[in-house]
Amino acid sequence: METPMTWQLAQRTRRMNPSLVRGILKLADRPGVISLAGGLPAPSTFPIEALREATERVWRDQPQHALQYTASEGHGPLREWLAESLCAQGLRVTADQVLITTGSQQGLDLVAKLLLDAGSTVAVESPTFLGALQAFAMAEPQVAEWACDDEGPRPDALMALRGARLAYVQPTFHNPTGRCLSAARRQAMVAAAQQQGVPLLEDNPYGDLWFDAPPPPPLASLWPEGVVYLGSFSKVLAPGLRLGYLVAPPALYPKLLQAKQAADLHTATFNQRLVWALIEQGGMPAHLQALRGFYRAQRDAMLHALHTHLPGGCERPQGRAVPDPPPEGGKKTWGGPALSCEWQSPSGGLFVWLRLPEGADALALLPQALAAGVAYVPGAAFYAGEPDARRVRLSFATATPEQIDAGIRLLATLLKAPR
Amino acid sequence: METPMTWQLAQRTRRMNPSLVRGILKLADRPGVISLAGGLPAPSTFPIEALREATERVWRDQPQHALQYTASEGHGPLREWLAESLCAQGLRVTADQVLITTGSQQGLDLVAKLLLDAGSTVAVESPTFLGALQAFAMAEPQVAEWACDDEGPRPDALMALRGARLAYVQPTFHNPTGRCLSAARRQAMVAAAQQQGVPLLEDNPYGDLWFDAPPPPPLASLWPEGVVYLGSFSKVLAPGLRLGYLVAPPALYPKLLQAKQAADLHTATFNQRLVWALIEQGGMPAHLQALRGFYRAQRDAMLHALHTHLPGGCERPQGRAVPDPPPEGGKKTWGGPALSCEWQSPSGGLFVWLRLPEGADALALLPQALAAGVAYVPGAAFYAGEPDARRVRLSFATATPEQIDAGIRLLATLLKAPR
């Protein structure tokens, strides 16, 4: 005899909703669809031979250690190396501030557990990383938007967020916008955060993927005791290893460590020792250099496609207002209205943040785009509050230059069709 | 100019405290100390050659897939295999109810997020698994004890817990007690849970480690729609891979999946494909059989040592009250009082749950034990409420039979010394 079961769910489950992006990615994964949607790194960049070699060394030298439980803090030599690498980027950090996490997504979960109560305020950029909103939702906070201008979050706007437990920011090659904040804006933001007493959570998964010059030093280098820093091997090595890390001020570390123990005891020992063995082999600097060259060429392919197929488009160099493009750029080649897309050239990362012409709705246009054979993520997916319906996130990571060209051409055709 | 930072922490951080067990394990890890403390599996049982072979196949056949992001649900073939294996144990489950987790510790975190609000009640056995208490604490529930007798949680005692969101139980080779519930007790517990409308969270990391006969079918087989089931590869393959799984009723699965996405996106792709490659090789049944033989011999070594060195001890076969041992067992061989330790012979798992003589305090005795050269975990670490100060968890997993004998002899000497 079975009694039907009525589950009483926790309040926070009302905030758990299927991810719009994941739904789109499933649609984008159909044959014949060129996907500019995913946030995946290009599999061709995975250093498979180096990982195979590192695996052999782990199995040969330390198989039992690699398979046993380990410290919740993570593998010592890897933490030491991370601390040194971060110091080289301007942070003042020791290995005992480094906590290895199961991807940097877990860092978001741990920090939310540490700092957010139900109803307390967390500030986010607008737009922001969807995964952060999902992680924060577990703690049932109020989400407030930190108003942004073209240069990034506005320092003066932080006054309205006084009392926030945390402001979450991606200063470097932001997902979805690709934006990289200037050194001056970083300094102004940190000064404002210090003044308002709002700690910062700096998420930096893309920082190593710069195309022309290294980005300015992280926020954590400007305010070591007020910033929690998240990093990841997902974009520079391989996301399938689920290896990230956080750097916390000493005042926070012990409680974060306890939250980590409660979450999954520790990150997979094998994966940590594998990546450390890879680093020990010495190939990381060359790998990073190759990676930057690859993604730079991908970005260039996308910018070329945008210039070619969206002739009325207006590229705005980051941080500077530019006049409309010269009149010949606005020529109509099809019967539709002159296009007025906008985008900026990203100096790193994986994304271009396109703005469709006035009146366009990226979400409403998506079914037609998929039917035509191109997928993107509507920008609306990335806003905690009111979205800009014209925004589109385009990834140049995984499609070939030919596919990027064809995909943007399809998109242009759609935009130029009479509506 | 730096402003000193005052962090405002979430309320739940008051419940985060350093683990007593972890502190003890650090002390137990000193040279010259025989550790009967750890809950680690024996590294000698790790199937290193089979894993090395499986790794080679993953790198050869599917390197890019193994390194890329994957579905939050987990690797399809592994989920299919788990569903089939569980069906063979009496569960009615399909692959779409299986969610791969980052160790079964993460299953505890996800279920807490799904079902526990601040102040809602979660019922636990007394004693219970410390890691579960730590995971539940993140949701700030009230923890209530499900009163137990020698057979396990008392079905009649569940009436007092009506309204609990969840009752957490380890029916099979319980940590720390080693107890395995009879089929009759399982049925009575499930009937009570159905009657009171209290869902069950069944944690079963040790179920495959049986010594004489397979344990009775899991609780989840008796009440599929009211039980969430947690399993793990940590004790049967290797904990350093951090690979566990949960099985949820279809009504709960979608929200658990969203909690999983928010927690760490998915469990490491490489690790899932590695274990699936290992399973495909076909060696798992033989490996499990060898594992059972190994731990059976370890258990026998510990029982022999207990009989030899604690001659006044009283072994109580599980589930039956036995009279005091025959008088000659109580002979004093040293100057101290006759001993009256108690223990049961576990039929699986890794632990013996020893009860020291009246008046002894396992926590207070620990420094002397460590000084003498033997480590154990005081039972007090495993109680949500009032502990039994005389209890000790002894692990027979990693020490050699000679070390087990020497360790128990040292413990007996301490107990026999005049106090």
Side-chain angles (χ1 to χ4, degrees):
Chain A
M1 190 200 73
E2 284 176 1
T3 312
M5 186 67 210
T6 310
W7 292 91
Q8 193 177 349
L9 302 184
Q11 294 285 332
R12 70 176 66 76
T13 60
R14 297 182 195 180
R15 303 181 183 222
M16 298 182 193
N17 294 304
S19 156
L20 176 63
V21 171
R22 292 203 161 238
I24 291 165
L25 294 182
K26 277 194 183 162
L27 295 172
D29 202 24
R30 291 184 304 192
V33 173
I34 295 169
S35 179
L36 307 175
L40 314 180
S44 63
T45 66
F46 299 157
I48 291 167
E49 277 314 309
L51 281 165
R52 192 199 305 261
E53 191 185 317
T55 313
E56 276 169 23
R57 288 177 54 225
V58 170
W59 286 139
R60 190 190 65 208
D61 299 339
Q62 41 175 318
Q64 293 191 346
H65 284 115
L67 291 169
Q68 189 56 285
Y69 286 114
T70 190
S72 298
E73 292 89 340
H75 188 46
L78 184 62
R79 295 167 67 216
E80 292 281 354
W81 180 84
L82 284 166
E84 281 171 30
S85 305
L86 292 166
C87 285
Q89 290 174 48
L91 274 76
R92 283 163 282 165
V93 50
T94 59
D96 55 10
Q97 291 174 260
V98 178
L99 176 63
I100 304 294
T101 58
T102 307
S104 62
Q105 182 71 29
Q106 186 180 55
L108 298 166
D109 177 76
L110 301 180
V111 171
K113 283 170 171 161
L114 186 77
L115 293 177
L116 301 182
D117 281 309
S120 60
T121 298
V122 56
V124 300
E125 292 164 285
S126 175
T128 190
F129 173 52
L130 181 62
L133 296 176
Q134 291 174 325
F136 299 155
M138 297 296 129
E140 303 168 83
Q142 300 250 355
V143 178
E145 291 192 342
W146 187 349
C148 297
D149 59 22
D150 278 356
E151 301 252 4
R154 279 170 36 210
D156 64 299
L158 199 61
M159 196 180 295
L161 299 166
R162 198 181 174 85
R165 294 283 179 86
L166 189 66
Y168 169 74
V169 285
Q170 302 172 79
T172 308
F173 317 137
H174 180 274
N175 176 6
T177 68
R179 182 173 59 202
C180 183
L181 304 187
S182 69
R185 176 56 63 101
R186 290 171 194 237
Q187 281 155 13
M189 281 169 61
V190 163
Q194 288 177 327
Q195 196 166 18
Q196 305 302 334
V198 176
L200 301 175
L201 175 56
E202 177 176 27
D203 194 3
N204 190 20
Y206 304 102
D208 281 316
L209 302 183
W210 47 266
F211 302 146
D212 308 304
L219 303 177
S221 68
L222 303 173
W223 192 23
E225 74 277 26
V227 179
V228 178
Y229 177 93
L230 304 183
S232 175
F233 287 100
S234 289
K235 303 306 188 292
V236 296
L237 275 182
L241 298 173
R242 306 310 301 127
L243 208 56
Y245 48 95
L246 66 75
V247 180
L252 294 188
Y253 195 92
K255 296 281 186 190
L256 280 169
L257 182 62
Q258 287 156 34
K260 167 69 180 168
Q261 285 176 11
D264 64 2
L265 295 185
H266 62 80
T267 293
T269 324
F270 181 84
N271 303 235
Q272 296 188 59
R273 288 180 178 249
L274 175 62
V275 167
W276 172 238
L278 180 96
I279 290 167
E280 267 192 313
Q281 285 164 202
M284 272 297 274
H287 171 66
L288 284 177
Q289 198 173 5
L291 210 56
R292 289 173 192 134
F294 174 85
Y295 286 121
R296 185 192 301 117
Q298 293 286 112
R299 178 214 42 190
D300 291 346
M302 178 157 280
L303 291 179
H304 185 264
L306 288 167
H307 280 290
T308 305
H309 301 299
L310 294 173
C314 163
E315 181 184 350
R316 302 195 308 163
Q318 190 175 24
R320 275 180 295 150
V322 287
D324 284 335
E328 66 269 27
K331 273 185 191 159
K332 286 186 270 183
T333 47
W334 279 268
L339 298 180
S340 56
C341 290
E342 290 172 21
W343 64 87
Q344 296 181 342
S345 171
S347 55
L350 306 179
F351 306 112
V352 168
W353 187 233
L354 180 70
R355 196 167 193 223
L356 300 181
E358 209 174 314
D361 182 320
L363 186 57
L365 194 69
L366 185 62
Q368 294 168 60
L370 288 168
V374 62
Y376 55 80
V377 180
F382 301 98
Y383 290 84
E386 193 60 34
D388 179 349
R390 292 162 62 189
R391 287 291 185 179
V392 166
R393 190 191 74 176
L394 297 173
S395 164
F396 49 79
T398 50
T400 64
E402 294 71 28
Q403 288 172 328
I404 290 173
D405 185 77
I408 299 295
R409 192 175 59 232
L410 287 168
L411 185 60
T413 306
L414 272 179
L415 291 171
K416 289 164 184 165
R419 269 168 284 165
Chain B
M1 190 201 75
E2 285 177 358
T3 311
M5 187 67 211
T6 310
W7 292 91
Q8 194 179 348
L9 302 183
Q11 295 285 332
R12 70 176 66 75
T13 59
R14 298 183 193 178
R15 302 181 183 222
M16 297 183 193
N17 293 304
S19 156
L20 176 64
V21 171
R22 290 200 164 240
I24 291 164
L25 294 182
K26 277 193 183 162
L27 294 172
D29 203 23
R30 293 184 302 193
V33 173
I34 295 169
S35 179
L36 307 175
L40 314 180
S44 63
T45 67
F46 298 157
I48 292 167
E49 277 313 309
L51 281 165
R52 191 198 306 258
E53 188 184 328
T55 314
E56 276 169 24
R57 289 176 53 225
V58 170
W59 287 139
R60 190 189 66 208
D61 300 339
Q62 42 177 318
Q64 294 192 345
H65 284 116
L67 292 168
Q68 188 57 284
Y69 287 114
T70 190
S72 298
E73 292 88 340
H75 189 48
L78 183 61
R79 295 166 67 216
E80 292 281 354
W81 181 83
L82 284 167
E84 281 171 28
S85 305
L86 292 166
C87 285
Q89 290 173 48
L91 274 76
R92 282 163 282 164
V93 50
T94 59
D96 55 9
Q97 291 174 259
V98 178
L99 177 63
I100 304 293
T101 57
T102 306
S104 62
Q105 182 71 30
Q106 185 180 54
L108 298 166
D109 178 75
L110 301 180
V111 171
K113 283 169 171 162
L114 186 77
L115 294 177
L116 301 182
D117 282 310
S120 60
T121 297
V122 56
V124 300
E125 293 165 283
S126 176
T128 190
F129 173 52
L130 181 62
L133 296 176
Q134 291 174 326
F136 298 155
M138 297 296 129
E140 303 169 82
Q142 300 251 355
V143 178
E145 290 191 341
W146 187 347
C148 296
D149 58 22
D150 278 355
E151 302 250 2
R154 280 169 36 211
D156 65 300
L158 198 61
M159 196 179 296
L161 299 166
R162 197 178 177 88
R165 293 282 180 86
L166 189 67
Y168 169 74
V169 285
Q170 301 173 79
T172 307
F173 316 137
H174 180 274
N175 176 6
T177 68
R179 182 172 61 200
C180 183
L181 304 186
S182 68
R185 176 56 63 101
R186 290 171 193 238
Q187 280 156 11
M189 281 168 61
V190 163
Q194 288 177 326
Q195 195 165 19
Q196 304 303 331
V198 176
L200 301 175
L201 175 56
E202 177 175 28
D203 195 2
N204 189 21
Y206 303 102
D208 281 316
L209 302 183
W210 47 266
F211 301 147
D212 307 306
L219 302 177
S221 68
L222 303 172
W223 192 24
E225 73 277 26
V227 180
V228 178
Y229 177 92
L230 303 183
S232 175
F233 287 100
S234 289
K235 304 306 189 291
V236 295
L237 274 183
L241 298 173
R242 306 309 301 127
L243 208 56
Y245 48 94
L246 66 74
V247 180
L252 294 188
Y253 194 91
K255 295 282 186 189
L256 279 168
L257 182 63
Q258 287 155 36
K260 167 70 180 168
Q261 285 175 12
D264 64 1
L265 295 186
H266 62 78
T267 294
T269 324
F270 181 84
N271 303 232
Q272 297 188 58
R273 286 179 180 251
L274 175 62
V275 167
W276 171 238
L278 181 97
I279 290 167
E280 268 192 312
Q281 285 165 200
M284 272 297 274
H287 171 66
L288 284 176
Q289 198 172 5
L291 211 55
R292 289 173 192 135
F294 174 83
Y295 286 121
R296 185 192 301 117
Q298 293 286 109
R299 181 224 26 204
D300 291 346
M302 178 156 282
L303 290 179
H304 185 263
L306 289 167
H307 280 289
T308 306
H309 301 298
L310 295 172
C314 162
E315 180 185 351
R316 302 197 306 164
Q318 190 177 23
R320 275 179 295 151
V322 287
D324 283 336
E328 67 269 28
K331 271 184 193 163
K332 287 186 269 183
T333 47
W334 277 267
L339 297 180
S340 56
C341 290
E342 291 172 19
W343 64 87
Q344 295 180 343
S345 171
S347 54
L350 305 178
F351 306 112
V352 167
W353 187 233
L354 181 70
R355 196 168 194 222
L356 299 181
E358 209 173 314
D361 182 321
L363 187 56
L365 193 69
L366 184 62
Q368 295 168 59
L370 287 168
V374 61
Y376 55 79
V377 180
F382 301 98
Y383 290 84
E386 193 60 35
D388 179 349
R390 293 162 62 190
R391 286 290 185 179
V392 166
R393 191 190 74 176
L394 297 172
S395 163
F396 49 79
T398 50
T400 64
E402 295 70 30
Q403 288 171 327
I404 289 174
D405 184 77
I408 298 296
R409 193 176 58 231
L410 287 168
L411 185 60
T413 306
L414 273 179
L415 291 172
K416 287 164 184 164
R419 270 167 286 167

